[in-house]
């Protein structure tokens, strides 16, 4: 049977708190008592778990990461960036999702209360942002990864969504495309507003008036992107290009155009946003705005680890640049 800290305390005739203080070198324990505790530890062969020692120190050497869902296509790349930094620093990583809404958050909050980890990394929390901000106000160290324009009141790593939308528009304008169909995403996402803003500003720079009817909504999924473009085609709207605000809707657009007999890029050029792995596996390969997913995860993890080491967290977001990647769906 495994020897516990309670066994040590009982045999040494001290409290478990005293045993913990001896183990961690914290608090005032007289030398005679400390020697007796150490002797009992040796005699019983007690081996303290790293978790128990860490919790006694207020340091579990574990971080948590909260993600909306493991099915989101870019989550794995951000997770890998986090894991690369966290593991190299000798920390463990606990994974939580928001799949079950309030039930998921209640379970997660219980882990916070149990001090199961030292700090939190949260990926685009969406509706959970108020709960996460409350945890931050209560003292939980945390960094948000990809705020999607939600502008949290705590440190975050973001990307240049407005500049990315501008780059997509500039590429289409410079290649002679003047009537783009824009397939937007959920309007409550700040990143959607930012990407639309950047795109519209460049069109105005080129003196192009964008017909509001050529901005259609989607749910940031492949089927919704396909449906949005099918409806635009059925309505008789004329467009020479598509800017889809994420790669999944862009791939849906490619499918709709192919089914309608429209050639890409000869008849309609297509530009996406994200640069997911699927962007190079479709035909034709997708021109898209690359978000530095892996680097965002790495940067956030380093920020949080530096903070746990004593450095202050900058309340302003760290913003990493996007990059237009030109491929065959919208060649230069």
């Amino acid at each position: 049977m495994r020897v516990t800290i309670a066994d040590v305390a009982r045999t040494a005739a001290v409290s478990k708190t005293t045993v913990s203080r001896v183990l961690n070198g914290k608090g005032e324990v007289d030398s005679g008592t400390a020697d007796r505790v150490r002797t009992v530890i040796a005699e019983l062969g007690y081996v303290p778990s790293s978790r128990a020692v860490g919790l006694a120190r207020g340091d579990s050497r574990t971080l948590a990461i909260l993600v909306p869902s493991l099915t989101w296509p870019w989550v794995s790349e951000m997770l890998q960036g986090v894991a690369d930094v966290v593991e190299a620093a000798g920390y463990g990583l606990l994974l939580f999702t928001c799949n079950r809404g309030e039930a998921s958050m209640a379970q997660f909050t219980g882990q916070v209360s149990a001090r199961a980890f030292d700090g939190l990394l949260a990926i685009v929390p969406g509706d959970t942002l108020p709960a996460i901000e409350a945890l931050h106000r209560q003292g939980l160290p945390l960094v948000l990864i990809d705020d999607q324009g939600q502008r949290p009141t705590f440190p975050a790593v973001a990307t240049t969504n407005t500049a990315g939308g501008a780059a997509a528009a500039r590429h289409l304008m410079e290649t002679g495309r003047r009537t783009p169909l824009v397939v937007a995403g959920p309007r409550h996402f700040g990143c959607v507003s930012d990407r639309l803003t950047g795109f519209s500003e460049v069109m105005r720079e080129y003196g192009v008036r964008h017909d509001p009817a050529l901005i259609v909504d989607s749910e940031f999924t492949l089927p919704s992107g396909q449906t949005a473009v099918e409806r635009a085609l059925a309505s008789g709207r004329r467009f020479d290009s598509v800017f889809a605000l994420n790669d999944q809707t862009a791939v849906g657009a490619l499918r709709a155009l192919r089914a309608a007999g429209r050639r890409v890029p000869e008849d309609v050029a297509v530009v996406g946003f994200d640069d997911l792995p699927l962007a190079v596996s479709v035909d034709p390969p997708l021109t898209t705005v690359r978000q530095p997913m892996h680097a965002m995860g790495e940067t956030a993890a380093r920020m949080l680890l530096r903070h746990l080491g004593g450095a202050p967290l900058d309340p302003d977001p760290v913003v990493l640049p996007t990059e237009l990647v030109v491929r065959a769906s919208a060649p230069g």
Side-chain angles (χ1 to χ4, degrees), residues 178-191:
R178 290 294 188 272
T179 53
L181 174 71
V182 176
V183 184
R187 295 302 179 104
H188 64 279
F189 283 4
C191 64

Side-chain angles (χ1 to χ4, degrees), residues 15 19 30 59 83 98 105 125 131 188 205 216 225 227-228 230 253 271 275 289 296 303 306 309 317-318 326:
S15 68
V19 177
D30 68 78
D59 174 14
C98 306
M105 287 306 296
H188 64 279
E205 288 176 12
V216 296
T227 298
E230 286 173 345
V271 177
D275 198 25
V289 178
M296 292 168 75
M303 288 169 62
R306 283 197 299 267
V318 173
V326 178

Side-chain angles (χ1 to χ4, degrees), residues 129-189:
L129 183 59
I132 292 173
E133 287 181 321
L135 292 173
H136 175 63
R137 289 193 296 270
Q138 294 164 16
L140 178 66
L142 61 88
V143 176
L144 179 63
I145 308 174
D146 191 7
D147 66 1
Q148 290 202 339
Q150 295 184 79
R151 312 294 186 260
T153 58
F154 53 84
V157 176
T159 191
T160 53
N161 284 298
T162 302
R170 189 166 290 107
H171 179 70
L172 291 175
M173 297 296 105
E174 289 177 352
T175 54
R177 311 286 178 160
R178 290 294 188 272
T179 53
L181 174 71
V182 176
V183 184
R187 295 302 179 104
H188 64 279
F189 283 4

Side-chain angles (χ1 to χ4, degrees), residues 273-309:
F273 205 110
D274 285 335
D275 198 25
L276 300 177
L278 62 78
V280 295
S281 63
V282 294
D283 182 25
L286 187 63
T287 292
T288 186
V289 178
R290 175 180 293 158
Q291 291 201 86
M293 308 292 189
H294 192 277
M296 292 168 75
E298 288 181 323
T299 300
R302 289 194 185 100
M303 288 169 62
L304 187 54
L305 288 172
R306 283 197 299 267
H307 176 61
L308 294 175

Side-chain angles (χ1 to χ4, degrees), residues 151 160-170 182 184 187 189-205 210 215 243 245 273:
R151 312 294 186 260
T160 53
N161 284 298
T162 302
R170 189 166 290 107
V182 176
R187 295 302 179 104
F189 283 4
C191 64
V192 170
S193 175
D194 290 346
R195 292 170 193 178
L196 286 173
T197 295
F199 193 86
S200 299
E201 286 176 352
V202 168
M203 290 193 66
R204 285 194 295 270
E205 288 176 12
H210 198 206
I215 301 177
F243 174 44
L245 270 65
F273 205 110

Side-chain angles (χ1 to χ4, degrees), residues 44-69:
L44 296 181
Y46 171 63
V47 179
S49 70
S50 59
R51 173 172 165 74
V53 172
L55 289 176
R57 292 174 176 165
D59 174 14
S60 68
R61 292 197 67 79
T62 301
L63 301 184
I65 185 161
L66 180 67
V67 304
S69 171

